[in-house]
Amino acid sequence: MHFVRSVVRWSLPVAALSVFALPSVAADKKPVAAPAAATAKAWEAEQPTVEKIDLDAYMRIREEGMQHGRVMQFASALVDGIGPRLTGSPNMAKANEWTKETLTKIGLENAHLEDWGEFGMGWQQINSWARMISPDPEPLWIQAAPWSPATKGPVSCEAVLVDIQETKDIEKYKGKLGGKIVLFGAPRAVPDLDKPLFRRYTDDELKEMETYPAPRAGSPAFNPAALAERARLRAEALKMMTDEGVAVIITPSRDGALGGGTGIIFDDNGANLVRGAQTAANAVKIPNAVMTIENYGRLSRLLAANVPIELEVNIEAKFTGDHEHGFNTVAEIPGNDPKLKDQVVMVGGHLDSWISATGATDNAAGSVVAMEALRILKAIGYKPKRTIRIALWTGEEQGLCGSRGYVRTHFGGPEGPAPACGAGGGGPQSRAEQQPPIKTTKEWETLDGYFNVDNGTGKLRGVYTQENYAIGNVFAQWIAPLKDLGISTISYRNTGGTDHLSFDAVGLPGFQFIQDPMDYDTRTHHSNMDTYERLHQADLEQAAIIEAIFLYNTSEREAMLPRKAFPHPELTKQKDAPIPGLFPNAIEKK
């Protein structure tokens, strides 16, 4: 899951429009203007009041998924057999090939890799370790930060604590850091674990999701100006340390929800010393790593007490090129209805992960659930009316790059050039900024819907409609025969942070399922605990069955799924402008 989910949970789809990834280098589709209002549109056809539910198909899908499921075999082959899958890395290439070959083996057609554009440097962690030599020998837990250069073998030298809160603090360290190991940043507080780290949604919580959330003034944790200033200060400090000739930089691991970060390393975007560290232009020249907060705390307290410390650090890493491209794995079950076969129903999840574990819950889980859903449909001999297509995305962790690149190539996107993936210029635009209009392709008219799983290993408890009010009744009827499996909730809310947003942002039906939280945000998300052991077989089997049924129902409907109104981000600034002359005594400024 993309790291910004917690701060965009209720964000509007238009906030994501400015970060589309580079288009495929092979793309030759020319965007055209959105269809004219007078044109008859298949998705605006009259919707049936009562959905046709084929309970025999439900039964066959459930039986295949529960009695002959392969989801855990897929999961072990991916996470144990291949391992962490950082976009652009050798393991990511292996995962792309493995998914392409496996989808072919289970009977899908046209399995292939689609290039969505340049990502940056290919990189792989080989080995990382550290120890305190004096004043007391102790092994220390570290992981290399993504795209860190290697040390030239083990490095033994003095450690120093560097705490920079503002620009003037940089001056006091100049001339003092050459050849040293820098502990960069003050240690954070370690909270008590006074609540369970693992939980499922209660009935009351699910009921609350069916209501529209009260307006919020904004999360104090998400302050764009403060984040920008922090990034600027870190970049300035990094330049100083590079000029000084620092040997290694070590940062403390962030915390997880409910204090779940104790004893754990979270190694993701927050561990990078600069934004866009995967690009050669922003490459960090100093070997750098993340350390558990407990180890970091001991070292920082000793240094604060003026106790000299000598550390030994070894970071082995491999770069595989400065201009690696990102690829999505795509395959399909072709449609068979003469009138509907050119329409497409899509399902997917992101295949890439971070590096400190094997990316099991984020998001091998969603990827193998999608694979299993299509395997189930093939196993029961289903011949869909519409084409059913799976896409396993890469570059999600750097800003939904793979899905946005795919959507931009096939369906359209904002006018003008797309920013490079994760390079620092593609953050959400302010609502005060002028945003470009969306242009769509002819293929945009054929996409019926996209379904996504990317909230860990938990059971599916419902689905977010992304404020698509016309579709709630449809989904409610689909899940009514499935309530014994635990799915019951239709939430009209938006949910952020993952690949369905790429579709939603251009006016296409894109949906994320509601999942039990389990220990996702507290322990496994982007951490060294994100391993096969955190996966729950019964929950993943349930998720695959439900996804298969959603795909089946979408493919079988005579009408396309209803869509929301076409987005017009170019009008946001105009709509948010104050009403002129509202205050009778106001003096107009010139």
Side-chain angles (χ1 to χ4, degrees), residues 330-333 344-347 374 387-391 406 443:
V330 182
E332 61 192 20
I333 305 175
V344 179
V345 187
M346 291 190 67
V347 66
L374 267 70
T387 295
I388 298 177
R389 182 177 299 157
I390 183 174
Y406 183 91
E443 203 173 345

Side-chain angles (χ1 to χ4, degrees), residues 30-95:
K30 296 185 181 299
V32 296
T39 305
K41 306 175 182 72
W43 53 91
E44 291 184 346
E46 184 176 354
Q47 296 287 325
T49 304
V50 178
E51 293 289 304
K52 294 181 180 179
I53 304 296
D54 186 342
L55 292 179
D56 179 66
Y58 274 47
M59 179 194 69
R60 289 185 290 122
I61 288 170
R62 289 175 64 143
E63 180 182 18
E64 176 63 30
M66 289 180 175
Q67 298 185 20
H68 310 289
R70 299 290 191 275
V71 69
M72 297 307 287
Q73 294 178 29
F74 290 155
S76 184
L78 179 58
V79 304
D80 295 331
I82 296 174
R85 302 168 302 282
L86 191 68
T87 299
S89 70
N91 275 11
M92 187 72 260
K94 290 179 183 178

Side-chain angles (χ1 to χ4, degrees), residues 136 157 246 390 426 459 462:
D136 179 43
C157 48
V246 166
I390 183 174
K459 180 185 296 185

Side-chain angles (χ1 to χ4, degrees), residues 423-463:
Q429 289 176 287
S430 163
R431 290 175 64 88
E433 292 181 82
Q434 184 62 47
Q435 299 183 47
I438 297 169
K439 296 295 183 181
T440 64
T441 69
K442 185 67 176 175
E443 203 173 345
W444 181 87
E445 300 176 8
T446 68
L447 196 282
D448 200 354
Y450 170 76
F451 301 100
N452 195 79
V453 166
D454 183 20
N455 284 144
T457 186
K459 180 185 296 185
L460 303 192
R461 307 301 302 277
V463 62

Side-chain angles (χ1 to χ4, degrees), residues 516-535:
D516 274 333
M518 318 297 267
D519 54 355
Y520 186 65
D521 289 326
T522 59
R523 187 165 58 169
T524 69
H525 182 229
H526 298 180
S527 87
N528 60 333
M529 294 289 104
D530 193 8
T531 64
Y532 179 90
E533 286 74 15
R534 302 275 78 81
L535 298 176

Side-chain angles (χ1 to χ4, degrees), residues 295-332:
N295 285 164
Y296 193 91
R298 182 186 183 191
L299 297 178
S300 62
R301 288 189 296 272
L302 288 172
L303 290 171
N306 298 317
V307 176
I309 293 177
E310 183 179 1
L311 300 180
E312 185 175 25
V313 177
N314 185 40
I315 296 175
E316 295 181 61
K318 179 175 69 174
F319 287 90
T320 58
D322 292 345
H323 304 285
E324 298 289 346
H325 279 231
F327 296 86
N328 301 317
T329 306
V330 182
E332 61 192 20

